[in-house]
Every structure is written in structure tokens, then in C-alpha cells.
Amino acid sequence: MYTAHPDRYADMPYRRTGRSGLKLPAISLGLWHNFGPADRTVETQRAILRRAFDLGVTHFDLANNYGPPPGAAESAFGEALKSDLAAYRDELIISTKAGYLMWPGPYGEWGSRKYLLSSLDQSLTRMGLDYVDIFYSHRPDPETPLEETMGALHSAVQQGKALYVGISNYSAEQTREAARILGELGTPLLIHQPRYSMLDRRPEDEGLLDALDELQVGSIVFSPLEQGVLTGRYLDGIPEDSRAASDSPFLNSDALTEDLVAQLRELNDIAKSRGQTLAQLALAWVLRGGRVTSALVGASSPQQIEDSVGTIANLDFDAEELARIDAVIKK
């Protein structure tokens, strides 16, 4: 029987999410393509969750379509929760999302009230939960009024099926409007989940981070390691067992150009000078200055989550280090 480590809260920093009372760990675990598939053993998945919690990772992020197949990650997490973590439910932040294709027909994706609330009920059933801590609209729907989508999130809170609500993949303008609508309904927008990394700075360039600062809304960033590019895996070529060597739609070998690999090697040198791995450098960079609440990482082994959590030992940068990183990226 699993018993959580007694010192699990000793080292992990917890950051307040916007102006809410909720704090999130600096490193959160995303259960995207490492949970649910048949080639990942149940014991490995459970071991990852246990190790994460022992290290102070209290936030587990899911979505209805995570797997594969869709729904598999939530089902696998539900089994692990029942086996190992049920006694610690009140110490956990569990989030899920709805927005991408989940089932056939006109009600199986996007942002209608019909889809969002039906999906949330299904997610709760798969995970064996009465409520989630955060429920997200996973993407904006160009054909559904934002009032309807935000109204569905508000209803989830009113029904006791979610404690907080968030949005993901929304632009700065859409985020401001979503926050306005939710504020008028009485359910504040807690958090935004954008893609953000040293190599993908759109949240900075397009004003999203500025909007979140103005609105006092938290942020949790996905793909801070750029699908594994910002790790040490590709410094000396493409390993046969890597994502880039597979038929993954998220990363392929064509993306790993000679120029990019040269940049990665230079970034790795900077990481070494800080006593970090390249992955730790990349995570520390998105967390620098406290502007981002939490960084989402995936893990295929307990050792990977240990490496990610090791980032917290050095989250500070001086001006020279930041300038060196920018010079490498802008080449």
C-alpha cells in the first residue's frame, strides 16, 4: 500500500494562481501521451504518479481526449487514483478539458454547452470523481458565442462539478472577453494554459502574458520542452526510440535541422554552466521571474519527473544568461 513521503512539501515552491487563493506547484504533471496507451504498463504509470506526488507535484493535468485512445488517460488516472492516491484527494489539484474531438456527430467537439457539460460528466465517470478542481475550455469555438461557452464553465462550478475554470489556446483578445463574461457571471477566470517555450514565444510576442498580468489570471504552460526538443535527446542525432524517429504528428525528423541542433548544443552549454540539464534550463526559463504560475511536463518514467523537479534548485537568471539565451535563439 502506498504511503506518501512525509517531506513531500519541503522543497517544491507553490505559486499563487492569479489573484485566487489557489496555489500550484512550479512543476505540474501533464498526462497527455504517456498515460493510457497499451504500450505503457500500468505499474509504470502508477510509479510516475507516486514519485511525482512524493516530490511535491500536487497538480495532475488531463483532458477528455488524452490517450490514445481518447479517454484512456482519464481512465488510467482514475485507476491509479483509486489504488494509490484516493486518501490524498484533498491534497491534489486535478484538471481536465473539453474542446477537441471526442465522439462522432455534431455534439462531440468545440464549445457548445451541450458538448462541454456532457464531456465533463464523462470525464468524472472515467476518473471516478465527484468534481475536478479545474475545468477548461480547451480551445475557442469560432461558431459558438463565447457567452455560451463561458456560461457552460460557470454552470460546471454552480453544479459542484468543478471548483475553478480555465481556458486554453485563446488569444489575448479572446482571453480578455472570456474573463469579462465570467466575471459578470460570478465565476472568475482562474487560469490560461498556452503553449510557451524558449523556442515558441508567441504568448510574449502576441501580448497574452501582458493580458494575463492585467487581468490577474494565472498561467500554466504546455510544451515548455517543445515535444522533447529542448532536452538532451537530440544533441547527437535522432535516437531510434525517440518521438522524432516515430510517426508522431507532433514532432518529426524534418523539424530537427542542423541549425536547430546547433542551437540546442549552445543552449546545453549554457545549461551546464548553471549546473542544469538542457531540460531544466528550458523549464527554469519559462518559470523565470514568477510570471508563469506552473510548467507542465510529461514523463515516461519516474526518473524523468525527478529530472524535471530538479529544476527548482535554480530558477533565477542574471541579465547576462538571458542575453546569451536570446542570442542563441535569434540566430
Side-chain angles (χ1 to χ4, degrees), residues 222-287:
F222 71 90
S223 293
L225 302 180
E226 282 296 310
Q227 304 297 321
V229 171
L230 287 168
T231 69
R233 294 218 75 188
Y234 303 107
L235 296 176
D236 299 305
I238 301 176
E240 291 183 2
D241 63 344
S242 67
R243 179 172 290 174
S246 70
D247 58 356
S248 170
F250 307 106
L251 179 65
N252 58 64
S253 57
D254 293 339
L256 289 160
T257 63
E258 290 184 8
D259 287 343
L260 176 56
V261 172
Q263 286 180 314
L264 296 178
R265 289 171 178 161
E266 290 189 63
L267 292 171
N268 191 52
D269 289 340
I270 297 172
K272 287 180 179 179
S273 71
R274 289 169 48 83
Q276 293 181 314
T277 65
L278 177 55
Q280 289 171 342
L281 173 74
L283 293 173
W285 186 88
V286 298
L287 291 167

Side-chain angles (χ1 to χ4, degrees), residues 175-210:
T175 297
R176 287 189 172 92
E177 184 63 6
R180 182 192 65 78
I181 295 168
L182 284 168
E184 290 178 355
L185 292 171
T187 297
L189 176 62
L190 175 79
I191 196 166
H192 190 297
Q193 187 174 135
R195 179 169 181 154
Y196 182 48
S197 75
M198 287 195 292
L199 299 179
D200 186 349
R201 304 189 180 193
R202 285 174 293 177
E204 289 181 16
D205 299 338
E206 298 173 1
L208 177 61
L209 294 185
D210 290 337

